Amino acid sequence: MVWICGRNNKKGPLVLKEDKTSLKQKFCYGVGHVFNDLCIQAWFTYLIIFFNKIVKISATGTGYIFLSSQIADAISTPFIGYGCDKSLSKRITQKYGNRKIWHLLGSAGIALIWPFVFSPCLLCNEESPDWVPVAYYCFFAALFSVGWPMVEISHLSLIPHVAKRPKDAVELSAIRSALKLGCGVFIFLVTWILLEQSKKRKVKSKTVSPDSLECKELEKQTLEIIELQREATLDENEHKMSWKKWFKNPDFYKLVFIYMATQNIVNLSQSYFPMYLTETLHFQKEAIAYFPLMILISGILMSTGIKHLNRYFSNKVLFSAGTLIVIGCSAWFYFTPLAHRDMIYAPTIIMGCANSIMIVTSLAMVADIIGDDKKSSGFVYGVCALMDKLSLGFIILAFQENYPQQDSTSGPCGEPCAFYLRGAFSVFPGVEALVAFLVVVFFYHPKKGKNVKRRMTVLGEEDVVDDETDFAVLPFLKSTEV
């Protein structure tokens, strides 16, 4: 909290400037999810093509591997969210922070399990029945999907604690999104370099100081106001939302769907993009690196500009715009013929911008509905992630079970496969974006929280200062931190 003490105007009013999150906190928060992002970028982008084309597991078997990971994620997520909101011990919580402990445990778990996910089956041989590799990878996929949400939920639930202003929450989400996309850039650049070595081959198997007297009085007044604010905060915490209260809030369900739809759109398109490129449009295999790279770079550029757009447009407006762009790009991808496949460069770049807008604004809307009720942030993010993971798992399984079986594990995909992948990659994400748009525009009207009124005495005069007062336009000369 910064208090203004005027030197040249000794009778000037005391002005309160708004707290803001420091650059150091923003940076440290941003890099806290990098390892998780590196793993998940490779997971969603190359899981299907790895198991189908390299390990040679059937389409249905691949679906069950993905479903096992999503079910493990969905089951563990509520417990992780609940655990993040509860103190492990008073000493640990005061010294390190409860959410940091969950973050550490999750990161260590992923580091141990990840090497087994994208490596040959250690229990398999040429005579092993088909269910053995499926069960093997299901086991490690499930373990990975317990460690991954530990990091994700603990990291997300830190946003309301780190952000001191609503716009800080937007910026933290933007930084998180930009670094997530940056991790994807790293993954795809490495993939591109490796695949470039065999450019002509397609994807196949096996491959302040003030006047003393006046400022002493101001400092005294400052401490009085801080105490009043602390008492107001304690009073608010007595009425914090419990899980029962959240379930009685209609906006909670709408927001869960908005978050779920956003994640489904991004992850579905990411998962089926490589197959769409190689099997439907017949691009060479290095395309599965540079096309996702284009999406990520455009997303990074967009995420850096969202905080500026947020000055003029609400999260609701920006999210709606993002869904409309996704719908347009989905139609573009669907109707692009093989003979004009180079037309997809433009929608690929635009799609990256739209994905970034939806991810950042959906996270900001979740932070908005939590508001000052920070003690239940883990529960809210936990429920959002639960629905996201569970729905995505069954969607992928349904897609894989209905995948045309001819040439699904070897050789070029026939016309039925090409047409099916065109629909899986573009139609379903477009439809889900349309439903999300309708929910946000016509049904999601969140009630604004009541602002806390602070009564402060300045030089013998009483003023009531509202939280929404624009302190930047009030007159002041010098500043000091109290």
Side-chain angles (χ1 to χ4, degrees):
M1 185 181 300
V2 179
W3 294 91
I4 308 311
C5 189
R7 274 188 169 182
N8 298 331
N9 184 13
K10 296 182 180 180
K11 294 183 179 180
L14 176 66
V15 180
L16 173 65
K17 289 190 72 177
E18 193 176 15
D19 278 348
K20 62 180 180 180
T21 305
S22 68
L23 182 62
K24 178 182 177 181
Q25 286 178 308
K26 291 176 184 177
F27 173 79
C28 292
Y29 177 82
V31 299
H33 207 253
V34 167
F35 179 50
N36 232 27
D37 287 332
L38 287 171
C39 293
I40 211 64
Q41 287 289 350
W43 174 265
F44 280 116
T45 305
Y46 299 125
L47 177 140
I48 294 176
I49 200 167
F50 173 75
F51 288 125
N52 277 8
K53 299 292 183 181
I54 309 302
V55 186
K56 298 185 69 174
I57 293 176
S58 67
T60 301
T62 301
Y64 279 111
I65 293 172
F66 192 89
L67 179 62
S68 68
S69 71
Q70 297 302 100
I71 290 178
D73 197 335
I75 293 174
S76 62
T77 292
F79 296 100
I80 295 169
Y82 179 81
C84 285
D85 291 334
K86 295 296 181 180
S87 175
L88 293 172
S89 77
K90 200 177 224 180
R91 185 176 179 181
I92 292 176
T93 301
Q94 288 178 347
K95 189 172 182 179
Y96 302 106
N98 196 50
R99 290 168 176 82
K100 290 182 181 179
I101 299 300
W102 282 95
H103 186 279
L104 176 62
L105 292 174
S107 299
I110 294 173
L112 292 173
I113 297 163
W114 181 250
F116 294 97
V117 177
F118 283 97
S119 62
C121 175
L122 300 178
L123 302 180
C124 307
N125 54 49
E126 294 180 356
E127 299 179 355
S128 298
D130 295 340
W131 65 267
V132 174
V134 173
Y136 177 87
Y137 288 110
C138 279
F139 175 74
F140 285 106
L143 289 180
F144 167 73
S145 295
V146 172
W148 196 88
M150 285 187 185
V151 181
E152 182 194 34
I153 299 302
S154 58
H155 194 258
L156 285 173
S157 62
L158 280 170
I159 291 180
H161 295 267
V162 178
K164 297 181 180 179
R165 304 173 297 177
K167 59 184 178 182
D168 285 336
V170 176
E171 191 169 355
L172 287 172
S173 298
I175 293 171
R176 186 180 190 273
S177 179
L179 288 174
K180 177 179 181 179
L181 298 173
C183 291
V185 170
F186 175 79
I187 292 293
F188 299 136
L189 278 176
V190 171
T191 304
W192 192 357
I193 292 171
L194 293 175
L195 293 178
E196 188 70 18
Q197 297 174 4
S198 53
K199 189 174 182 179
K200 295 183 179 180
R201 294 160 52 193
K202 293 188 176 182
V203 178
K204 296 181 181 180
S205 304
K206 302 181 182 178
T207 66
V208 181
S209 158
D211 295 310
S212 58
L213 292 177
E214 198 165 359
C215 282
K216 283 182 180 179
E217 180 62 25
L218 292 177
E219 288 179 6
K220 179 181 177 182
Q221 295 165 7
T222 296
L223 295 174
E224 290 175 355
I225 298 169
I226 292 174
E227 180 63 21
L228 288 173
Q229 288 181 307
R230 187 187 69 80
E231 291 174 359
T233 302
L234 290 174
D235 183 64
E236 287 176 4
N237 288 336
E238 290 178 1
H239 303 283
K240 81 179 189 73
M241 294 281 283
S242 64
W243 64 270
K244 292 182 179 179
K245 291 180 180 179
W246 277 117
F247 285 133
K248 293 178 181 179
N249 184 357
D251 287 333
F252 174 67
Y253 295 95
K254 299 167 191 174
L255 201 55
V256 168
F257 175 80
I258 292 169
Y259 179 91
M260 179 187 73
T262 299
Q263 298 299 320
N264 282 349
I265 290 166
V266 174
N267 292 329
L268 278 173
S269 58
Q270 185 177 357
S271 297
Y272 282 98
F273 202 14
M275 298 288 283
Y276 170 78
L277 291 170
T278 58
E279 307 293 0
T280 302
L281 297 184
H282 300 303
F283 277 98
Q284 300 219 347
K285 66 180 183 180
E286 64 269 18
I288 69 174
Y290 65 75
F291 269 105
L293 182 60
M294 290 165 59
I295 289 182
L296 291 177
I297 291 176
S298 61
I300 291 172
L301 296 176
M302 188 70 245
S303 66
T304 58
I306 292 178
K307 64 178 181 179
H308 300 292
L309 291 174
N310 196 249
R311 296 176 182 176
Y312 307 100
F313 304 100
S314 66
N315 292 321
K316 181 176 175 179
V317 170
L318 291 175
F319 181 86
S320 301
T323 56
L324 290 177
I325 296 173
V326 168
I327 294 169
C329 291
S330 297
W332 196 332
F333 283 124
Y334 184 80
F335 291 107
T336 299
L338 177 60
H340 298 88
R341 66 183 185 181
D342 289 341
M343 292 173 59
I344 72 164
Y345 282 90
T348 298
I349 296 172
I350 298 171
M351 188 76 156
C353 296
N355 287 347
S356 183
I357 292 172
M358 292 183 66
I359 291 171
V360 172
T361 53
S362 64
L363 287 173
M365 284 192 283
V366 175
D368 284 343
I369 200 174
I370 293 172
D372 292 328
D373 189 30
K374 301 173 184 178
K375 290 189 176 181
S376 62
S377 60
F379 171 78
V380 175
Y381 284 111
V383 173
C384 288
L386 165 65
M387 298 307 299
D388 156 35
K389 307 302 180 184
L390 204 56
S391 61
L392 183 63
F394 282 104
I395 291 170
I396 293 289
L397 178 60
F399 281 170
Q400 292 299 113
E401 283 193 328
N402 291 281
Y403 193 92
Q405 291 303 307
Q406 64 173 68
D407 300 325
S408 61
T409 59
S410 63
C413 186
E415 188 59 30
C417 299
F419 182 77
Y420 184 82
L421 288 169
R422 187 186 294 272
F425 170 67
S426 58
V427 175
F428 194 89
V431 171
E432 198 158 11
L434 176 61
V435 177
F437 171 79
L438 296 175
V439 169
V440 170
V441 172
F442 296 105
F443 301 103
Y444 185 63
H445 306 289
K447 297 178 182 179
K448 294 184 178 180
K450 295 181 180 180
N451 296 313
V452 178
K453 301 280 185 175
R454 298 191 303 272
R455 183 170 300 277
M456 69 179 182
T457 304
V458 180
L459 301 179
E461 297 180 358
E462 264 195 15
D463 296 315
V464 174
V465 180
D466 191 277
D467 275 350
E468 291 186 342
T469 301
D470 189 357
F471 292 103
V473 302
L474 297 179
F476 65 93
L477 297 174
K478 299 289 182 179
S479 64
T480 180
E481 285 195 3
V482 177

